[in-house]
Each structure stands twice: as C-alpha cells, then as structure tokens.
Amino acid sequence: MGWCSEDLFPTKFSLIIFISYMALFINQGILVTASKSKDNTYNYNTVTAVLLTECVKLVAAACIFLKDNTVSSLLSDISKHKDVLLYYMVPSALYCLYNNLAFVNLASYDPTTYFLLLQFRVVLTGVIFQIVFNKKLTTLQWVSLGCLTFGCILKEYGKMSEKTSCTSSDFMSYLDPHLFLIIVQVFSSCFAGVYNEYLLKDKGVDVHIMVQNVFMYLDSILCNVIAHKFKEDLANAFTFTSLSAMAQPSLICIVLNNAAIGIVTSLFLRSLNSILKTFASALELMFTAVLCWMIFGISIDMYTVVALGIVTAATFLYSHKPVVNLAKTDEHKTKEDV
C-alpha cells in the first residue's frame, strides 16, 4: 500500500483525474482572487457568472458525448432515462441551496468563521457515505478523516486568532440560529456529493457519464433560475451591462475553468469516491494558500504550516487503507477476472 496503490488509484487515468481535480480548483481559487477589486468585491454579476458557467458545462458535456455519438442518440438517451434526469434534481437542488446559503451565511459570519465551520463536512461526508453505500469505514479511515478535519480547522483558526481573542464568550456567540443554516449548508454539500456518486456508480451506472452530466446541468440551470427568480435578481443577470462584463478575458477563464471542474468532478466520483474527494479538497486548500502567498503576497502563518503537515500526514495515513467503492459495472468485471 502507498501513495499510488491500486486501491487508492485503480488506474493511471484515476490518478490523472485526481491531480486534474486539484489543479483546476487551485487555479479557480487563484483566478477568483485575481478577479476581486481592491475593496474585495467583484466588478461583475455573480449570478450571470453562475448561470453562464452552468450553460457552458451543459454544452461541454453534450459536445463530449457527441464526439462519438449522434444527436439522435443523445435525445434517445435523454428520453430513455428520464427517471435518472429526475434523480439528478436532488444533487442539483442541494448544490443550488448550498450556493445560495453561502451568501446568507457569509452575511452572518465573518469569512474565517464561515470556512472553519464548513470543515465539518469532511466527517459528515464519511457518515453519509456509510449510509448511502452501506459501507462501514475502518478505524484507520476515520482517524485519517479526523486528522484531516483538524488540519482544515487549524488553518482557518489561525486566521480567526489574528482578528479576535478566542474566549468562551466568542465561541458561544457562534451558537445562534444562523448555525442551523450552516448545518443545512454543510449537509447539502455532503449529501449532494455522495448522492451524485451514487447515481454515477449505481442508479445511473448504465447511462453514459456525459449524458448524466447533461442531466445534472439541465437540472442545475432550472434550479438556479427558480432560485434567482424567487430572489428577484434573475432579470439583472441578463442585462447588457452584466453580460458585457463577462467578456473580460479573466472572467472567461473563470467560467471555462469552472466548467472543466464540473466535468472532472463527475469523472472523479465515477473513478474514485467522495471520501478521497475530501482529501483532494483539503490538499487543494493548502496548495492554494501557498500559491496565493507566492503570487499575491498573501502571508502564510504558522497555523497554515502546521495544518499543511497534518493534512499531509492524514492523507498518507489514508493512503495505507483507502476506501474502495467501485461502480456496479466495475464490480462485475472484477468478479469475472477473479
């Protein structure tokens, strides 16, 4: 067992997907940071960016499928697997809820506290994974997830300690009604990710992965349109000013990179699993901090350095006994080979 064991990365392709997933997310963090104005705001409509990204994801998934298939086969698959299209409403709606709650919760908490509380999704992902796939994680896997959570929390705690002294009264101030919304947001993210993996590997395993992506993005666009229509900010997303602002090269890069993230994430969940995805996200968080220090001069404190060591250790620990969660078709192939 080790960093590149067959249990951790069954194929070279899965290793490439793992690295690509982290690279794209790191790149996204850098691109978004670079797009902020001096007063730490965005000079473009974020609703426009989100909807445009979902549309690009939809087109990309369809084009990849059509590279080896016909339009009629795409329409036939959509018609044939309408039930899977409906199933994808679950992760799409949850991701939409997650994104919208982010704005609500960031209005109630400072960014550091907000991201600190979000780190509990690591452990929650493990719990939901066990329930959805009926797989029991080993003690070593739970220990590695616990270390990963601690490392991520420590990194964010370092930012908090710079701003406020951590007293019991400070901690109690976080236990307000808004904490419930944080819990809902964390659950939405975790369940959406695990359920998406379930659809890719079980419920929709017979459906081409790019057709599943088409389902995901169709539902996602619908959910976002409904959500923003309800918030009454949909009309502003399609004004000439909002659309023309997206013509900036940096914003085009953000949209394209985000679209690539969507496609790669589906490949990640299909070839790997949600548990490993939490490790990739944690490593991406650490690498982003280092690169932002190198590119933007954003300082790195001792908490981040220690957190990087803990996350690395947790990843190494996990690599010795990784979760194996094959798709139904892959399980059948494995049994036949045996």
Side-chain angles (χ1 to χ4, degrees), residues 123-159:
V123 172
L124 185 57
T125 296
V127 174
I128 295 174
F129 182 88
Q130 285 194 146
I131 296 171
V132 172
F133 288 102
N134 194 28
K135 287 179 178 285
K136 188 175 181 180
L137 301 186
T138 65
T139 301
L140 184 62
Q141 289 164 353
W142 276 118
V143 169
S144 63
L145 283 173
C147 291
L148 189 70
T149 303
F150 179 69
C152 292
I153 288 176
L154 185 64
K155 179 186 179 299
E156 299 302 332
Y157 179 80
K159 297 177 185 176

Side-chain angles (χ1 to χ4, degrees), residues 272-286:
L272 297 167
N273 56 72
S274 302
I275 303 298
L276 188 58
K277 183 167 164 282
T278 63
F279 282 87
S281 297
L283 289 170
E284 162 256 314
L285 192 69
M286 301 301 160

Side-chain angles (χ1 to χ4, degrees), residues 117-128:
L117 292 171
L118 283 188
Q119 302 315 316
F120 290 101
R121 59 189 169 187
V122 175
V123 172
L124 185 57
T125 296
V127 174
I128 295 174

Side-chain angles (χ1 to χ4, degrees), residues 213-233:
N213 279 329
V214 168
F215 291 161
M216 179 72 166
Y217 304 137
L218 280 173
D219 289 342
S220 182
I221 291 171
L222 177 62
C223 289
N224 276 285
V225 167
I226 293 173
H228 291 297
K229 180 68 176 177
F230 179 76
K231 291 170 63 179
E232 299 182 350
D233 58 2

